[in-house]
Structures are given as C-alpha cells and as structure tokens.
Amino acid sequence: MADLKNAPRYTVGSGWNALLPRRVPNEQLPKERRYHAIVVGGGYTGLAAARRLAELMPEKDIIVIEASEIGEGSSARNSGFLSPSAIEPRPNAYGSAEDDANRKTRIVLAGLDWLRAVVEEHKINCDWDETAPRIVAAATRQGERWLLSSRQALERRNLRYLEHDAQGLRALLGTDYYQYGYETLTRAFVQPAALIRGLADTLSSNVTVLEHRAVEAVEGSGPFKVRTPRAEFVADKVFIANNAHARALGLLADRMIVVYTYAGLTPELEDDELGRMGSLPAWGVLPPTRMGTTMRKVGRRFLIRSSWSYEKEVNPQKVRSTLTRLFRRRFPQMRSYHLEHVWGGMTAITVNGGMYFGELRPGLYASVGCQGAGVLRGNIHGKLLAEMACGSQSPLLTDRLMLTGPDWIPPEPFRGIGAIARMTWEHWRAGREY
C-alpha cells in the first residue's frame, strides 16, 4: 500500500480554474480493466504521453488516471508563461555545459512547437498569446548583473531578445520599480487551466481519462497491476507522470522535494487602474532570481506570484498578506490591492536541476522532477517518453537521453534542514527582487 500522505491535496482551488465555466470531472469507473498502457497523472506530461501513444498505436486502449481533477491539479496553478530558457546547464559525460544548454534548448523549443500545433489543430481556447512582452526585469544592480550574464547565454543559443532600460520599463509596465530588463522574443502566454482542460478534452477516442482516483500502488511487471481505491487495472506498460507524487508509489523518493509557490489574481480592474500598469493590454515579468516575484497583466486582471514553503502549504491568509505587500511595493499608486483569488501550487525540485526521464524497469517509464518548468518540458517529455516506449530513435530523444538526471538527496531531517537553509539564503540574496 502506498503512503497516501504524499497524494496531491490543496487548501484552495486554482484561481485560473475558477475563472472558467464549471466542468464535470470524469469519475465513472470504466467497465474495462485491461489496457495496453496506463498513464499515472493527468498533467502536461501525462496527457502528452497519452496523446502520442494514441497517435502511434490507434488500435490500443490507454487510460490516464488522475488523483485530482483536470484543471485543479498543479498543471493549472502556474503563471501561464511558456518559457524557452534552459534550466541550469551543466557539463556531463556527454559534453560541456554549453552542449547541455543547447540540447535543453532544442528540446524545449520542440515542446513549444508541438504544443502550439496541438492547440491550433484542436482549436483549444486557452488565450494563447505570442505577442505580449515576456520581460525578465531586475530591480537591483546585482539583479542587473545576473541578467547580463543570462543575456549572454541567450546570445550563445541564438535566442532573440530586446533590451529595456528603466525608462522603457516604466513606459511598458507603469512602475519605476525596475532598472533593467530584456524581453525574450520567443515566448507564449496561456490561461493554464484552460490549456490543460483543452488538452484532456481533445484526446483520441482510444484514451480514457479517469479523475479523482489516486493510484495506490504499481505492482508486478509485464503485465503491471495498478491499484486504486475500489478498482485494479492491468496494463502491459505504465507511465509515471505525476511528478513529486511518484514518491507516494515508492519511486525516486530520494531524488525530489516539494516546494510550494503562491499566486494571487485581482478582480477585473477599471480602465484607470489598468492604465496604471502601462499602455499595453498584456505583459509578463519574471525575476532574475528563483526567489523573486513574477507578475502578469492579463485580460483585465493582474497576477502576482511569489513566496515559497517546503513540503506543505502555508495559511492562505498569510499568503494573501505577503502578495498584497509585494503588489503594493511595485504599484504604490493603485486604489485597491484586493486579490480575488489566492492559491498555492507545488512543484518537484531536484538538488542539481536534473529531471528523471527513462525506463525505470522493463515496461515502467517515468518523467518526473519538473523544476517549476513543467508546461513545455513536461509536454515534450511526455511525447518523447511515449516514443521511447514505441522504439523511436529520433534525434530529439537522443538529446533527452544525454541530459543529466537528478542527484540523490539525503533523508530527513537533513533534507529539510538543507532545503530550508538553501531557500532562505536565496530569499535573502534576492533582496528587492522579492
């Protein structure tokens, strides 16, 4: 029996999902118990794996088992940035840090291209936007130095950008909080709950999605038995795509920790309030450091995302107070700082920035450890995992197999002590970027 204390639970619903029409989750147990493939997790990775498996094997039956519901899980709780930047390139046995960065860039750009194609083909209404500026902005001299270093990395990978000084940022954003920034010209924004719901609703007819059904155990091998409350399923292949919740199944428990981050979304703003956030209808701002503050002007609303906690959520009222203070600091001229929706979202963090991808044992595949960049990476990793299981030899899959996996993390209490100390230090180092 799995330790279900690690099953996904959230204190409050996703603010993005609350903006959409009510959706009825598919909780009805299917009559079929035997499948060719079972996908554990209905996020970007799991749905991408199911989609690609269905394309490659249209005659086979596939089931996606999601412990929460589509639109309320972690996939619908991010800020909606589809960012092509590489995460922490590192030298490894296959080459230099630059080689690693180039491979990661190729993979994530392929993820953007494939996701765009799926959205266009199925006409998924998720507010896809590749015109709004995506700006990485610094409020301090130290932050500016970090950005100049990362800008050079963009140049080496031939990713286009546009620089902005303090005056330009003030005109774009309506605040004089930031001193320097650059705008990456390969970018997209989405409404994440609408995107994940659309991806689930447009799967092929040979894919079943079962929601509110936590997987308790994966047993055996070829065929596998997948146990859930009140039902057991059997499959030739199993795909683990539930990120940090793989730990509840006894998989990769010594490779990942959970970190929660928090977001707030305003009600629809009046014209004069929107005008205080610059003249553009939409923009997004990312910080130069991991513990900084993310912002979006989206539709008639404003989103702010910041703060963190280790392995469990903090009180929503405390989060609301923190986000309100950070909002006020950046836009002191607003009439109101009311946040209509405040929520948390978890992500799987590894100590070295590596993600696990591959075959754990014959027939059991996994892609977990998203590092907070799960939309594009999760999407393309799910596709590649399905192709691996079907014997693909594509160059992109070769790129993925040449990336570094996650390092071992010591057990508690050392794990928690180290993680909290590291995040506290990064929070202090961020300064005004937070």
Side-chain angles (χ1 to χ4, degrees):
M1 179 69 69
D3 181 2
L4 293 183
K5 71 180 182 181
N6 287 328
R9 295 186 182 90
Y10 284 109
T11 303
V12 296
S14 161
W16 290 116
N17 204 34
L19 301 181
L20 300 175
R22 183 175 179 270
R23 173 184 175 276
V24 178
N26 183 14
E27 301 177 2
Q28 182 66 43
L29 274 173
K31 294 180 180 178
E32 183 63 50
R33 295 291 190 271
R34 184 66 165 86
Y35 292 86
H36 176 71
I38 294 175
V39 179
V40 181
Y44 296 108
T45 305
L47 295 182
R51 182 179 299 275
R52 187 60 175 148
L53 285 168
E55 290 174 350
L56 296 172
M57 299 182 297
E59 75 286 358
K60 301 291 188 181
D61 289 330
I62 300 151
I63 186 169
V64 178
I65 303 177
E66 166 60 34
S68 177
E69 68 179 75
I70 306 297
E72 279 298 340
S74 300
S75 297
R77 293 172 175 268
N78 58 73
S79 301
F81 288 72
L82 306 190
S83 302
S85 54
I87 290 181
E88 299 184 28
R90 297 174 182 273
N92 58 31
Y94 302 104
S96 66
E98 196 61 27
D99 294 330
D100 187 64
N102 289 333
R103 282 190 285 270
K104 287 176 177 174
T105 300
R106 286 193 294 268
I107 291 168
V108 78
L109 288 177
L112 178 60
D113 290 342
W114 191 54
L115 187 57
R116 182 194 298 113
V118 171
V119 168
E120 290 176 353
E121 177 186 356
H122 295 283
K123 297 179 173 57
I124 296 174
N125 183 11
C126 60
D127 300 331
W128 186 283
D129 184 358
E130 295 189 44
T131 62
R134 173 197 177 275
I135 300 169
V136 189
T140 64
R141 290 291 180 86
Q142 178 60 54
E144 184 175 346
R145 287 192 286 269
W146 290 332
L147 287 189
L148 291 174
S149 176
S150 63
R151 188 198 68 188
Q152 293 170 0
L154 292 177
E155 293 172 351
R156 290 193 297 271
R157 291 190 281 281
N158 296 315
L159 293 173
R160 298 175 299 146
Y161 66 89
L162 179 66
E163 292 183 279
H164 297 289
D165 60 14
Q167 183 177 353
L169 290 172
R170 188 179 306 114
L172 286 171
L173 310 177
T175 175
D176 59 6
Y177 193 83
Y178 297 99
Q179 304 305 308
Y180 170 80
Y182 62 73
E183 175 185 344
T184 54
L185 301 181
T186 304
R187 73 290 179 100
F189 294 95
V190 294
Q191 210 280 33
L195 174 59
I196 197 68
R197 284 166 57 160
L199 292 173
D201 292 342
T202 57
L203 290 169
S204 300
S205 58
N206 60 324
V207 180
T208 298
V209 177
L210 178 62
E211 300 168 73
H212 285 157
R213 190 72 52 174
V215 170
E216 296 177 327
V218 177
E219 300 170 341
S221 59
F224 293 90
K225 292 181 180 179
V226 175
R227 289 198 283 111
T228 73
R230 295 178 40 228
E232 182 178 279
F233 300 90
V234 177
D236 300 314
K237 296 179 180 180
V238 172
F239 295 79
I240 304 299
N242 59 349
N243 218 8
H245 303 305
R247 302 182 306 177
L249 303 176
L251 303 173
L252 302 163
D254 58 354
R255 294 293 188 271
M256 298 179 286
I257 63 169
V258 164
V259 172
Y260 287 82
T261 59
Y262 302 90
L265 196 63
T266 68
E268 292 192 349
L269 301 175
E270 301 293 335
D271 288 344
D272 62 333
E273 291 283 84
L274 284 171
R276 292 184 172 96
M277 296 178 170
S279 59
L280 294 176
W283 48 253
V285 171
L286 291 167
T289 178
R290 183 180 297 178
M291 290 297 171
T293 295
T294 297
M295 305 185 302
R296 273 187 74 182
K297 182 183 181 184
V298 50
R300 302 191 64 86
R301 299 173 186 266
F302 173 74
L303 176 136
I304 186 163
R305 187 179 188 91
S306 197
S307 198
W308 58 272
S309 60
Y310 173 71
E311 291 287 349
K312 61 181 180 180
E313 285 184 276
V314 299
N315 184 288
Q317 291 307 313
K318 181 179 179 180
V319 172
R320 183 181 296 275
S321 176
T322 298
L323 294 178
T324 300
R325 173 170 52 85
L326 297 176
F327 182 10
R328 188 187 301 272
R329 180 190 294 176
R330 285 160 173 78
F331 292 94
Q333 75 278 30
M334 304 293 288
R335 287 202 316 267
S336 170
Y337 298 91
H338 173 58
L339 297 174
E340 181 179 3
H341 302 283
V342 172
W343 69 93
M346 66 174 71
T347 189
I349 300 294
T350 62
V351 71
N352 66 333
M355 299 175 64
Y356 182 84
F357 175 95
E359 195 171 12
L360 285 164
R361 59 179 188 265
L364 181 62
Y365 301 86
S367 179
V368 297
C370 74
Q371 299 296 119
V375 181
L376 293 185
R377 288 179 178 83
N379 180 65
I380 192 64
H381 284 174
K383 178 178 184 287
L384 293 176
L385 203 65
E387 293 177 356
M388 169 188 271
C390 294
S392 170
Q393 301 296 321
S394 74
L396 201 61
L397 180 56
T398 301
D399 272 345
R400 173 56 260 188
L401 294 175
M402 294 170 72
L403 300 184
T404 304
D407 285 347
W408 175 80
I409 304 175
E412 299 289 4
F414 307 104
R415 176 179 301 184
I417 292 170
I420 292 172
R422 174 65 182 269
M423 288 187 286
T424 301
W425 176 77
E426 288 192 5
H427 186 186
W428 171 83
R429 187 176 71 142
R432 275 175 56 84
E433 309 300 347
Y434 171 73

